[in-house]
């Protein structure tokens, strides 16, 4: 009887044993939680079993031949790295990705160091958290000029825009939260309408190799990305505050994020910034009407449901900018006197009040996006964005007649933009990836008041494809893109409406490769074709650009600008020495530039005039950055940038090109009790005189070379999961009088004098 019962039990178990599936697999990727780069050599295993796998160069692992059931999956990179655990219920094949953090670990005197290169073919550099803190309160353009190969084109102290490899404005694409920022970026005094406090990562893609971002990226792409969404904490926040002596600027910014407990997968974020500054001062005098005020905010939300992610984002940027009063001169004699004077003709005192000439700018951005993981190999993303850029410019009072109403702008542009982006990312094998996408773009501009540029409608459509093939030491990437642009302008000539239409279309392409040698060396090379259509201002502008204190005249017959570029760079990393060098060469057809066109006297005063022209041109240069560690406490940094730009038709140099820059720095890091860290940085910045220029091509010769001394003191005070960082930053320590060639107001005034800033950052 016992034998019979045992047989029945065994026979009952056999079907269930036969039905169990033991051919299942778990696979996925291990990525760095900070920058999303693949982690090589991480160990992924099932706790209590012999199943284990080591990630390859793409960060991929795979566990095969597993029976159905519930398991604890563990990922660990190296000793000292906190293991990441996941509970997996296995009834079918599963994709499980991990995000981990690297550490530098010392165990009984043995230091284990892991070097990881950015193996993308793009020449990309990022600002560190410490650089961003020490630059807090400055404009976006002023912040990123600490990066090699990046300088700034400024109009006074509060208006600045980035210059990459000597190129700026419409030759640089600015991506704000994944959306192409659209404002009146064509003007030298039209700074990006972006609050740097909203971002957690600011990086620069140098050169014309980023075909996925669209035409116009001849000089590069500036990426401004918000913080990654928190996955482990319910609340997360960050506060910035500071005060600067020059201009008596004060600011405060805060960002707060919440992961909902009640609604799984829902997260929300809010941010607000306020800034105010009065008139800044040069070493020997105050610069009149150079104050500004700023108020910005944003809200964002994310909802994750299974393999779907939905995002919504809204931001508003609002600023009031004063234009230096000494740049607006009443007659030709006074203008020539101002060019040669050592000090501005108009004397001023400190005040927070902003008078005409001034700018009032508001930029609104609304974005919706959806991301879907189709399966283990394919992911698609769709986004739709609306932007409104409202720019008002207020001139000085009329020279003759009745005083004008100071509340009504003399010049106003309202630019509305809508764009749709679609991307399909695919991982075909551990070595082969593709990225396909398309963009549709619609923009319309309405103007009022004084004529500078006409009303217009701009339509653009583009599509691209990128292929990336990665082996153990090699990474090869190629891409191609086509864009079509239709531009309709509307303006009156002799009281008759004129509606010219311009059509542009062309192909962009790039191919590049990277190679890793002996774990310390990385070499990058790429070449590509790029183009851009002429902007509305280059085609049709005709009038006084009050913000730039200049008259600009367009040329309606301009052709599309084209360039062929090549870059070669290398990186070296070791325990004591890091080296980064990047060389580039660009040849342009139909290069568009502003050529001085004499002095004009208007009812508003006397102003220098410029006219847009096209030539064949050549740009080339080198960016160098080194960091040497003398000891555990002391290190030395060197950065050097040079660019050469030549007019091939007139056999002469182009104007408005940054001079060579050399920056040296000495840094000391001292570890105190209770994990507190004190940093001391002293750096010098030497800017050469721009000797490569046409003496007859500008109104004033380039200013002399100069050297600045700057210092930064930082104290980090961690407490549990919170961190307070206090910084004391002194720019122009010796209160040097100088003028910078890349400042349009160098015709009239010196740069800012000494500026002492106290800055605080609290993360919780």
């Amino acid at each position: 009887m016992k034998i019979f019962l045992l047989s029945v039990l065994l026979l009952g178990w056999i079907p269930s044993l036969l039905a169990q599936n033991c051919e299942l697999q778990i696979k996925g990727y291990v990525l760095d939680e900070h920058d999303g780069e693949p982690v090589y050599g991480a160990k992924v295993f099932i706790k209590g079993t012999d199943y284990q796998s080591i990630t390859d160069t793409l960060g991929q692992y795979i566990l095969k031949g597993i029976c159905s059931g519930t398991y604890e999956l563990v990922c660990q990179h190296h000793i000292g790295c906190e293991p990441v655990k996941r509970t997996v219920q296995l009834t079918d094949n599963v994709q499980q990705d991990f995000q981990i953090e690297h550490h530098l670990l010392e165990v009984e005197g043995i230091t284990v160091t892991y070097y990881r290169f950015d193996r993308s073919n793009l020449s990309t550099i990022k600002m560190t958290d410490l650089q961003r803190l020490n630059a807090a309160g400055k404009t976006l353009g002023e912040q990123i000029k600490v990066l090699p190969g990046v300088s700034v084109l400024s109009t006074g102290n509060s208006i600045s825009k980035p210059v990459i490899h000597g190129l700026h404005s419409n030759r640089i694409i600015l991506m704000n939260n994944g959306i192409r920022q659209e404002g009146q970026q064509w003007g030298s005094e039209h700074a990006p309408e972006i609050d740097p406090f909203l971002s957690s990562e600011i990086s620069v893609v140098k050169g014309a190799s980023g075909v996925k971002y669209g035409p116009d990226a001849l000089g590069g792409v500036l990426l401004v990305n918000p913080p990654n969404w928190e996955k482990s904490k319910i609340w997360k926040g960050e506060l910035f505050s500071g005060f600067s002596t020059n201009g008596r600027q004060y600011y405060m910014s805060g960002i707060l994020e919440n992961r909902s407990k009640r609604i799984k997968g829902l997260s929300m974020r809010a941010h607000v910034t306020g800034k105010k500054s009065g008139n800044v001062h040069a070493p020997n005098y105050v610069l009149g009407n150079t104050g500004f005020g700023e108020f910005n905010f944003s809200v964002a939300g994310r909802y994750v449901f299974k393999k779907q992610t939905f995002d919504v984002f809204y931001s508003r940027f609002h600023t009031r900018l004063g234009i230096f009063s000494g740049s607006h001169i009443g007659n030709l004699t006074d203008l020539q006197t101002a060019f040669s004077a050592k000090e501005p003709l108009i004397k001023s005192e400190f005040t927070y009040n902003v008078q005409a000439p001034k700018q009032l700018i508001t930029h609104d951005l609304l974005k919706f996006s959806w991301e879907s993981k189709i399966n283990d190999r394919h992911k698609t993303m769709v986004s739709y964005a609306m932007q409104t850029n409202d720019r008002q410019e207020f001139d000085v009072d009329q020279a003759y007649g009745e005083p004008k109403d100071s509340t009504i702008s003399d010049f106003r542009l309202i630019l509305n933009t809508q764009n749709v982006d679609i991307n399909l990312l695919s991982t075909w094998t551990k070595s082969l990836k593709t990225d396909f996408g398309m963009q549709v773009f619609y923009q319309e501009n309405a103007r009022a008041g004084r004529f500078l540029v006409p009303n217009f409608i701009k339509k653009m459509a583009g599509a691209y494809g990128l292929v990336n093939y990665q082996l153990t030491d090699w990474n090869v990437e190629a891409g191609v893109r086509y864009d079509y642009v239709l531009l309709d302008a509307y303006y009156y000539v002799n009281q008759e409406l004129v509606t010219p239409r311009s059509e542009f279309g062309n192909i962009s392409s790039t191919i590049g490769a990277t190679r890793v040698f002996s774990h310390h060396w990385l070499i990058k090379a790429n070449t590509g074709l790029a183009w851009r259509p002429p902007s509305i201002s280059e085609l049709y502008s005709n009038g006084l650009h009050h913000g730039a204190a200049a008259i600009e005249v367009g040329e309606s017959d301009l052709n599309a600008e084209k360039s062929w570029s090549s870059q070669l760079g290398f990186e070296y990393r070791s325990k004591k020495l890091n080296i980064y060098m990047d060389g580039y060469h660009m040849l342009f057809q139909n290069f568009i530039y502003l050529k001085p066109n004499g002095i004009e006297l208007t009812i508003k005063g006397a102003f220098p005039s410029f006219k847009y022209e096209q030539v064949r041109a050549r740009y080339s240069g080198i960016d160098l950055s080194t960091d040497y560690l003398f000891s555990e406490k002391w290190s030395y940094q060197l950065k050097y940038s040079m660019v050469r730009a030549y007019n091939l038709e007139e056999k002469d140099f182009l104007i408005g090109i940054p001079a060579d820059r050399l920056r040296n720095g000495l840094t000391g890091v001292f570890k105190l009790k209770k994990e507190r860290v004190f940093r001391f940085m002293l750096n010098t910045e030497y800017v050469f005189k721009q000797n490569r220029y046409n003496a007859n091509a500008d109104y004033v010769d380039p200013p002399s070379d100069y050297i600045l001394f700057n210092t930064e003191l930082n104290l980090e005070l961690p407490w549990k999961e919170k961190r307070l960082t206090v910084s004391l930053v002194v720019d122009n320590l010796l209160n040097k009088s100088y003028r910078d060639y890349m400042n349009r107001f160098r015709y009239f005034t010196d740069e800012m004098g000494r500026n002492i800033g106290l800055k605080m950052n609290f993360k919780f």
Side-chain angles (χ1 to χ4, degrees):
M1 185 65 180
K2 292 181 180 179
I3 296 176
F4 174 76
L5 291 175
L6 182 60
S7 301
V8 171
L9 289 173
L10 289 173
L11 289 173
W13 276 35
I14 288 174
S16 62
L17 290 172
L18 291 175
Q20 188 173 20
N21 186 356
C22 291
E23 296 297 328
L24 301 178
Q25 65 179 23
I26 305 174
K27 66 178 182 178
Y29 291 90
V30 179
L31 307 174
D32 185 280
E33 71 173 4
H34 297 293
D35 55 20
E37 289 294 318
V39 176
Y40 171 71
K43 181 181 179 181
V44 181
F45 60 94
I46 297 177
K47 187 175 181 180
T49 72
D50 294 330
Y51 292 104
Q52 65 177 16
S53 176
I54 304 297
T55 57
D56 58 19
T57 55
L58 296 179
Q60 188 178 44
Y61 74 91
I62 185 168
L63 303 171
K64 298 181 179 180
I66 311 172
C67 298
S68 57
T70 301
Y71 301 96
E72 185 175 13
L73 196 61
V74 182
C75 174
Q76 186 167 18
H77 184 217
H78 50 246
I79 299 174
C81 175
E82 290 295 328
V84 180
K85 301 177 181 180
R86 297 284 187 271
T87 299
V88 178
Q89 187 173 2
L90 201 62
T91 58
D92 200 352
N93 294 335
V94 169
Q95 167 101 15
Q96 177 64 61
D97 297 334
F98 289 92
Q99 290 184 326
I100 66 174
E101 184 175 5
H102 294 136
H103 297 281
L104 181 68
L105 178 68
E106 293 187 3
V107 181
E108 297 179 357
I110 299 175
T111 302
V112 179
T113 307
Y114 179 76
Y115 300 106
R116 188 182 76 251
F117 289 104
D118 177 9
R119 298 180 59 185
S120 166
N121 294 301
L122 301 177
S123 180
T124 305
I125 47 177
K126 298 179 181 180
M127 291 187 67
T128 65
D129 289 343
L130 193 59
Q131 286 175 329
R132 293 179 60 248
L133 172 60
N134 291 335
K138 298 180 180 180
T139 63
L140 179 63
E142 285 289 336
Q143 288 194 18
I144 67 171
K145 75 176 186 178
V146 300
L147 300 175
V150 181
S151 53
V152 62
L153 175 66
S154 57
T155 305
N157 65 292
S158 58
I159 303 174
S160 61
K161 60 196 317 175
V163 179
I164 305 174
H165 289 171
L167 302 172
H168 57 83
S169 302
N170 283 326
R171 298 184 184 95
I172 292 176
I173 293 178
L174 198 157
M175 300 296 293
N176 179 11
N177 193 9
I179 295 298
R180 175 170 166 154
Q181 179 89 357
E182 286 295 327
Q184 282 90 24
Q185 61 261 33
W186 38 265
S188 63
E189 89 300 354
H190 294 172
E193 298 91 354
I194 292 181
D195 183 1
F197 285 114
L198 178 58
S199 65
S200 67
E201 179 184 296
I202 300 176
S203 58
V204 173
V205 179
K206 297 189 295 182
S209 53
V211 297
K212 71 176 295 181
Y213 301 106
D216 303 333
L218 283 75
V221 182
L222 176 59
L223 304 174
V224 181
N225 295 319
N228 292 326
W229 289 95
E230 182 59 56
K231 296 182 179 180
S232 59
K233 300 175 183 177
I234 301 299
W235 289 97
K236 176 184 176 183
E238 187 170 8
L239 293 174
F240 284 94
S241 64
F243 175 80
S244 299
T245 56
N246 200 326
R248 304 180 195 176
Q249 178 190 165
Y250 55 91
Y251 62 85
M252 181 169 288
S253 180
I255 185 168
L256 186 63
E257 181 179 325
N258 172 254
R259 181 171 59 84
S260 175
K261 281 185 175 181
R262 295 183 177 180
I263 305 176
K264 184 179 179 181
L266 178 64
S267 299
M268 295 164 288
R269 178 188 293 155
H271 141 267
V272 64
T273 295
K275 295 168 63 176
K276 189 170 185 179
S277 174
N279 289 344
V280 301
H281 59 80
N284 300 313
Y285 49 84
V286 175
L287 305 181
N289 202 45
T290 53
F292 68 91
E294 195 172 299
F295 180 75
N296 317 310
F297 68 90
S298 71
V299 291
R302 164 168 286 197
Y303 180 64
V304 180
F305 178 72
K306 295 182 179 180
K307 296 183 179 181
Q308 315 296 317
T309 301
F310 303 89
D311 285 279
V312 61
F313 172 79
Y314 171 77
S315 68
R316 163 163 281 205
F317 178 96
H318 178 79
T319 185
R320 180 190 299 269
L321 302 170
I323 304 299
F324 173 50
S325 55
S327 64
H328 290 250
I329 310 300
N331 56 66
L332 296 175
T333 302
D334 288 346
L335 181 61
Q336 293 293 345
T337 302
F339 283 167
S340 58
K342 292 185 178 180
E343 295 187 4
L345 301 181
I346 301 175
K347 304 300 180 183
S348 303
E349 297 181 352
F350 176 83
T351 178
Y352 281 107
N353 294 330
V354 175
Q355 305 293 334
K358 64 183 179 181
Q359 297 178 1
L360 185 63
I361 305 165
T362 302
H363 188 95
D364 294 284
L365 169 63
L366 176 62
K367 173 190 174 183
F368 300 94
S369 63
W370 166 63
E371 178 181 312
S372 175
K373 293 184 178 180
I374 301 172
N375 52 40
D376 294 345
R377 291 185 175 182
H378 306 288
K379 177 173 68 174
T380 185
M381 292 174 287
V382 179
S383 64
Y384 167 76
M386 296 185 295
Q387 299 177 67
T388 298
N389 188 280
D390 185 354
R391 171 181 295 272
Q392 301 180 66
E393 296 191 5
F394 298 79
D395 297 352
V396 293
D397 289 341
Q398 299 275 359
Y400 307 100
E402 296 295 327
K404 66 185 185 65
D405 187 346
S406 61
T407 64
I408 301 177
S409 61
D410 296 85
F411 167 63
R412 186 174 189 178
L413 292 177
I414 301 177
L415 189 69
N416 292 299
T417 307
Q418 301 181 65
N419 48 303
V420 177
D421 293 74
I422 302 174
N423 294 85
L424 176 63
L425 303 174
S426 301
T427 302
W428 301 98
T429 67
K430 67 178 183 180
S431 300
L432 181 62
K433 294 181 179 180
T434 59
D435 181 359
F436 294 98
M438 63 175 295
Q439 288 95 31
V440 179
F441 173 100
Y442 178 86
Q443 184 177 82
E444 57 184 11
N445 177 73
R447 54 162 292 275
R450 172 173 41 82
F451 184 90
L452 178 61
V453 295
N455 294 337
F456 68 88
I457 295 177
K458 182 179 180 180
K459 303 172 186 176
M460 184 172 68
Y464 72 89
L466 288 168
V467 178
N468 182 279
Y469 189 72
Q470 183 168 320
L471 299 174
T472 303
D473 297 322
W474 282 92
N475 185 44
V476 180
E477 186 172 84
V480 65
R481 179 187 181 100
Y482 179 80
D483 289 278
Y484 174 77
V485 179
L486 185 64
L487 181 64
D488 292 305
Y490 304 88
Y491 59 96
Y492 285 89
V493 176
N494 298 326
Q495 297 184 342
E496 291 187 8
L497 180 64
V498 180
T499 59
R501 165 170 287 191
S502 302
E503 296 183 63
F504 305 95
N506 215 325
I507 292 176
S508 307
S509 61
T510 182
I511 184 170
T514 63
R515 175 74 160 89
V516 178
F517 296 91
S518 68
H519 304 291
H520 293 283
W521 292 89
L522 175 73
I523 294 181
K524 293 186 178 184
N526 66 68
T527 185
L529 298 172
W531 75 287
R532 74 172 184 94
S535 69
I536 190 71
S537 64
E538 292 167 336
L539 291 169
Y540 303 112
S541 64
N542 186 16
L544 175 61
H545 211 166
H546 236 268
I551 293 171
E552 297 181 1
V553 180
E555 176 56 62
S556 59
D557 294 330
L558 294 177
N559 297 313
E561 195 173 85
K562 302 175 184 178
S563 79
W564 171 78
S565 67
S566 57
Q567 290 179 259
L568 178 63
F570 76 85
E571 293 181 54
Y572 173 81
R573 294 188 185 183
S574 67
K575 182 178 179 181
K576 290 189 174 242
L577 178 64
N578 293 331
I579 303 176
Y580 163 87
M581 190 172 78
D582 184 27
Y584 56 92
H585 183 76
M586 294 178 282
L587 290 175
F588 287 88
Q589 287 185 350
N590 304 323
F591 181 81
I592 304 171
Y593 76 109
L594 271 175
K595 184 176 181 179
N597 194 38
I599 303 293
E600 291 191 26
L601 181 63
T602 73
I603 193 173
K604 299 291 185 179
F607 298 93
S609 176
F610 297 84
K611 180 177 174 57
Y612 287 100
E613 290 194 2
Q614 283 191 309
V615 295
R616 290 186 301 112
R618 180 186 69 221
Y619 276 69
S620 56
I622 294 176
D623 303 327
L624 173 67
S625 176
T626 64
D627 191 334
Y628 182 73
L629 187 66
F630 291 109
S631 64
E632 292 184 357
K633 295 181 179 179
W634 293 98
S635 62
Y636 168 76
Q637 300 83 34
L638 181 145
K639 296 178 182 178
Y640 173 70
S641 297
M642 60 159 278
V643 57
R644 302 288 183 264
Y646 198 70
N647 185 330
L648 296 175
E649 292 185 2
E650 298 181 3
K651 309 298 182 184
D652 210 339
F653 297 102
L654 290 170
I655 66 170
I657 304 303
D660 297 0
R661 293 174 180 262
L662 177 65
R663 186 182 181 96
N664 292 275
L666 182 66
T667 301
V669 181
F670 305 91
K671 296 181 180 179
L672 309 177
K673 295 181 179 179
K674 297 182 179 180
E675 298 183 350
R676 299 175 180 177
V677 179
F678 174 74
R679 288 182 176 87
F680 165 80
M681 286 162 278
L682 176 66
N683 64 69
T684 63
E685 183 176 6
Y686 178 65
V687 179
F688 295 71
K689 181 178 180 179
Q690 181 54 281
N691 292 314
R692 299 163 191 84
Y693 71 100
N694 185 335
N696 299 318
D698 206 346
Y699 300 106
V700 178
D701 290 343
S704 301
D705 58 342
Y706 62 87
I707 185 170
L708 301 178
F709 290 84
N710 311 297
T711 185
E712 301 169 358
L713 307 176
N714 300 96
L715 180 62
E716 290 186 16
L717 305 171
W719 179 63
K720 295 182 179 180
E721 295 184 357
K722 305 176 182 65
R723 188 182 71 181
L724 173 66
T725 305
V726 181
S727 297
L728 181 67
V729 180
V730 184
D731 296 321
N732 194 1
L733 181 65
L734 302 182
N735 205 27
K736 170 77 173 179
S737 294
Y738 70 100
R739 298 193 182 193
D740 191 279
Y741 181 60
M742 296 301 290
N743 190 337
R744 288 288 292 267
F745 285 169
R746 66 179 172 86
Y747 295 151
F748 311 106
T749 180
D750 291 344
E751 297 286 332
M752 287 175 56
R754 183 188 298 115
N755 188 22
I756 303 173
L758 179 64
K759 308 165 191 280
M760 290 179 287
N761 173 227
F762 180 58
K763 292 183 178 181
F764 58 93

